[in-house]
């Protein structure tokens, strides 16, 4: 009900969001978009963690090889038809899944991107601790990766067992191994809201991450997606708030600044983020693409992804055509997540004045005492960040869960309607 009311209020419309499979292969107009990022989804894992909501399959060497061939074809199809030369890119991130499982192909994939894009920003990759070893880290550095995100989730073995995850070695050792290689930024993922997790346990996780070399700590509330195989249910809202307050207090004590609703980083270090940005192109099965006029979702099937690219077709399964208002709201949503609503960035996207377009939302934010004005932008304070934390979880339950659940079951859909 909360999300429905917010949607109607801020969209000024009763119409739902509709993803459809029409006109899937129309050109992608991205050359003039500012701050364009690239994201690659590698859908392979050695073991499937029961709590993980992202699309992945068990690793198979033959399937992975065919996936890489298809990925290179997708990069070509989305890039080669531009007539304006190479597009400058602000970031390139590999997520998953476990991208390290295709380490032998990562150099080739990066060179393919460089053939069509000028990569000016950081190049990051997500790693599962079990894949980390000195040889892998050295190879990633040589290939050109300068940011690492390590999916620790917790340093506490009992908490990991509650999640259904069994680590093969001490995650602190893996983190220290990465820190010794001099990457520009090292992100560590920590989940909070797990049954049996106490404020002390969360504080220890945060402190261990920082002590072992993390420059950014990304914390995520434990969310029970409808299609995952969780044996445990998340803690309730009140218990999660206690843990989130502990995270905020602990990161402040150890010198980390809050950079989004759920991320904290040392001062002046590059921030690791994959798709929480203004515009991006997504590659790989289940990857999404955010452009000025539409939002696109690739098929949630490795085999269908491979097959359609053999026919020289882009693997888009669904498109949401934005109204101007909806596109502005999508920007506002992620700007709020990043705690920074920049008036200049909004003007670059829409050629409109932020104060005029969102005068009602601005007034409500001021009355609630959740925003503060600073240097041509509005910032969410801690009260605003907590309210957005609640909205984000509801948004995930109502929109992301439904979309991903349906897309996983049917590779090529007619439509998805989101109210």
């Amino acid at each position: 009900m909360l999300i429905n009311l917010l949607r109607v209020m801020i969209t000024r419309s009763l119409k739902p969001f509709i993803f459809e499979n029409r006109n899937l292969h129309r050109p992608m107009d991205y050359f003039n978009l500012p701050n364009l990022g690239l994201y690659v989804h590698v859908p392979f894992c050695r073991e499937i963690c029961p709590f993980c909501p992202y699309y992945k399959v068990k690793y198979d060497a033959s399937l992975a090889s065919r996936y890489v061939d298809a990925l290179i074809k997708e990069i070509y199809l989305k890039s080669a038809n531009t007539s304006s030369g190479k597009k400058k890119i602000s970031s390139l991130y590999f997520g998953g899944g476990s991208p390290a499982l295709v380490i032998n192909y990562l150099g080739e994939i990066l060179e393919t991107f460089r053939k069509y894009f000028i990569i000016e920003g950081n190049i990051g990759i997500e790693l599962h601790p079990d894949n980390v070893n000195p040889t892998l880290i050295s190879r990633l550095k040589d290939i050109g990766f300068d940011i690492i995100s390590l999916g620790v989730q917790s340093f506490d073995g009992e908490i990991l067992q509650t999640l259904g995850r069994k680590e093969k070695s001490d995650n602190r050792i893996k983190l220290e191994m990465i820190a010794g290689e001099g990457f520009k930024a090292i992100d560590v993922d920590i989940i909070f809201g797990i049954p049996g997790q106490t404020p002390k346990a969360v504080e220890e996780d945060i402190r261990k991450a920082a002590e072992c070399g993390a420059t950014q700590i990304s914390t995520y509330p434990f969310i029970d997606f409808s299609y995952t195989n969780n044996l445990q249910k998340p803690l309730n809202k009140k218990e999660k708030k206690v843990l989130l307050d502990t995270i905020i207090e602990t990161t402040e004590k150890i010198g980390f600044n809050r950079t989004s609703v759920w991320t904290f980083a040392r001062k002046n270090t590059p921030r690791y983020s994959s798709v929480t940005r203004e515009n991006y192109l997504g590659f790989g099965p289940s990857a999404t693409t955010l452009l000025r006029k539409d939002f696109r979702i690739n098929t949630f099937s490795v085999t269908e992804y491979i097959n359609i690219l053999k026919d020289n077709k882009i693997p888009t399964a669904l498109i949401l055509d934005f109204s101007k208002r909806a596109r502005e709201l999508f920007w506002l949503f992620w700007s709020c997540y990043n705690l920074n609503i920049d008036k200049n960035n909004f003007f670059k996207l829409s050629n409109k004045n932020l104060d005029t377009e969102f005068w009602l939302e601005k007034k409500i934010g001021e009355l609630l005492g959740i925003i503060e004005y600073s240097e041509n932008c509005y910032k969410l304070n801690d009260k605003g960040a907590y309210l957005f934390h609640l909205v984000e979880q509801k948004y995930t339950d109502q929109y992301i869960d439904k979309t991903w659940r349906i897309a996983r079951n049917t590779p090529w859909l007619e439509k998805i309607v989101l109210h």
Side-chain angles (χ1 to χ4, degrees):
M1 180 61 72
L2 170 64
I3 295 299
N4 289 339
L5 291 173
L6 284 173
R7 176 181 59 79
V8 171
M9 183 187 77
I10 62 180
T11 62
R12 318 282 203 270
S13 172
L14 294 173
K15 294 180 180 179
F17 299 118
I18 302 176
F19 287 89
E20 297 182 276
N21 70 353
R22 59 185 177 83
N23 201 14
L24 298 179
H25 305 295
R26 64 179 184 247
M28 292 187 172
D29 181 16
Y30 61 78
F31 199 84
N32 293 319
L33 289 178
N35 191 29
L36 184 70
L38 304 177
Y39 173 74
V40 180
H41 188 72
V42 182
F44 302 106
C45 289
R46 293 285 187 191
E47 299 293 336
I48 306 298
C49 296
F51 63 88
C52 179
Y54 302 106
Y55 174 69
K56 67 275 180 190
V57 296
K58 278 208 170 186
Y59 174 74
D60 173 86
S62 175
L63 185 63
S65 175
R66 288 184 284 136
Y67 154 83
V68 171
D69 290 340
L71 175 63
I72 289 173
K73 176 70 71 65
E74 185 184 12
I75 297 169
Y76 166 76
L77 291 175
K78 287 184 175 177
S79 315
N81 293 327
T82 58
S83 58
S84 304
K86 291 185 178 182
K87 169 67 176 172
K88 292 182 179 179
I89 297 301
S90 63
S91 61
L92 170 58
Y93 293 100
F94 288 73
S98 301
L101 295 176
V102 295
I103 180 64
N104 293 332
Y105 303 102
L106 289 179
E108 179 186 2
I109 295 168
L110 276 178
E111 285 308 308
T112 304
F113 275 118
R114 290 188 176 110
K115 188 183 296 184
Y116 303 110
F117 298 98
I118 300 171
I119 304 172
E120 294 187 325
N122 300 113
I123 303 176
I125 188 169
E126 297 175 2
L127 297 179
H128 189 294
D130 286 349
N131 298 137
V132 174
N133 58 62
T135 301
L136 173 76
I137 298 305
S138 178
R139 290 184 67 183
L140 291 174
K141 196 76 182 293
D142 291 342
I143 290 170
F145 289 92
D146 54 13
I147 291 182
I148 301 292
S149 179
L150 189 64
V152 169
Q153 319 311 346
S154 177
F155 293 95
D156 187 309
E158 291 185 5
I159 290 175
L160 288 174
Q161 285 187 354
T162 300
L163 283 174
R165 183 164 170 173
K166 298 179 181 179
E167 306 301 81
K168 296 178 181 178
S169 61
D170 191 331
N171 288 337
R172 291 174 297 181
I173 296 173
K174 301 299 182 73
L175 181 54
E176 289 170 347
M177 189 184 301
I178 295 169
E181 290 294 326
F183 289 94
K184 289 183 179 179
I186 301 170
D187 171 76
V188 169
D189 290 347
I190 299 293
I191 295 177
F192 67 95
I194 305 165
Q197 195 175 36
T198 64
K200 182 179 179 181
V202 167
E203 179 179 352
E204 289 181 355
D205 276 342
I206 298 298
R207 289 188 178 278
K208 285 177 182 177
E211 290 167 0
C212 295
T215 63
Q216 175 179 296
I217 300 172
S218 296
T219 63
Y220 300 97
F222 183 30
I223 298 175
D224 185 29
F225 286 80
S226 63
Y227 53 84
T228 55
N229 298 313
N230 287 323
L231 298 178
Q232 304 286 343
K233 301 302 177 184
L235 297 178
N236 62 38
K237 182 172 68 174
K238 183 177 179 180
E239 292 169 320
K240 278 185 178 178
K241 185 179 188 307
V242 172
L243 297 181
L244 182 57
D245 287 344
T246 300
I247 291 168
I248 295 168
E249 293 167 5
T250 305
T251 51
E252 185 176 352
K253 287 177 183 177
I254 62 176
F256 279 57
N257 299 316
R258 194 173 194 174
T259 54
S260 81
V261 171
W262 294 329
T263 60
F264 308 81
R266 293 191 187 279
K267 189 176 181 180
N268 297 326
T269 60
R271 183 180 165 200
Y272 182 96
S273 67
S274 54
V275 295
T276 56
R277 53 190 57 251
E278 293 162 345
N279 312 281
Y280 59 88
L281 301 179
F283 302 83
S286 81
T288 58
T289 291
L290 175 62
L291 302 175
R292 192 184 299 275
K293 296 182 179 179
D294 57 61
F295 185 82
R296 309 185 184 204
I297 304 175
N298 279 0
T299 179
F300 273 61
S301 166
V302 179
T303 54
E304 291 297 321
Y305 173 82
I306 292 168
N307 290 337
I308 198 168
L309 281 158
K310 284 182 180 178
D311 294 334
N312 293 314
K313 294 181 179 178
I314 291 175
T316 306
L318 293 166
I319 293 181
L320 167 66
D321 286 312
F322 287 120
S323 66
K324 289 184 178 180
R325 179 71 178 180
R327 182 61 181 91
E328 292 164 4
L329 289 170
F330 202 93
W331 175 90
L332 181 63
F333 181 89
W334 288 113
S335 295
C336 287
Y337 175 78
N338 291 320
L339 307 179
N340 192 44
I341 308 166
D342 190 288
K343 296 170 71 171
N344 290 332
N345 287 343
F346 181 74
F347 186 82
K348 290 178 184 178
L349 176 77
S350 65
N351 202 33
K352 295 178 182 178
N353 182 280
L354 178 70
D355 290 329
T356 302
E357 285 300 299
F358 292 111
W359 66 270
L360 178 60
E361 290 76 15
K362 170 177 169 270
K363 189 67 176 177
I364 292 172
E366 290 172 342
L367 289 172
L368 291 175
I370 62 174
I371 59 172
E372 300 167 359
Y373 188 74
S374 173
E375 297 182 7
N376 211 38
C377 71
Y378 296 97
K379 295 182 180 294
L380 263 67
N381 56 26
D382 283 346
K383 179 181 177 182
Y386 180 67
L387 289 177
F388 192 85
H389 154 80
L390 298 177
V391 169
E392 166 70 3
Q393 290 187 95
K394 292 293 184 181
Y395 165 85
T396 298
D397 288 338
Q398 188 157 328
Y399 290 158
I400 296 179
D401 186 291
K402 179 180 179 180
T403 303
W404 290 359
R405 171 170 45 81
I406 295 173
R408 289 159 66 94
N409 293 329
T410 308
W412 306 109
L413 292 153
E414 289 296 318
K415 67 171 61 176
I416 296 178
V417 180
L418 302 175
H419 292 279

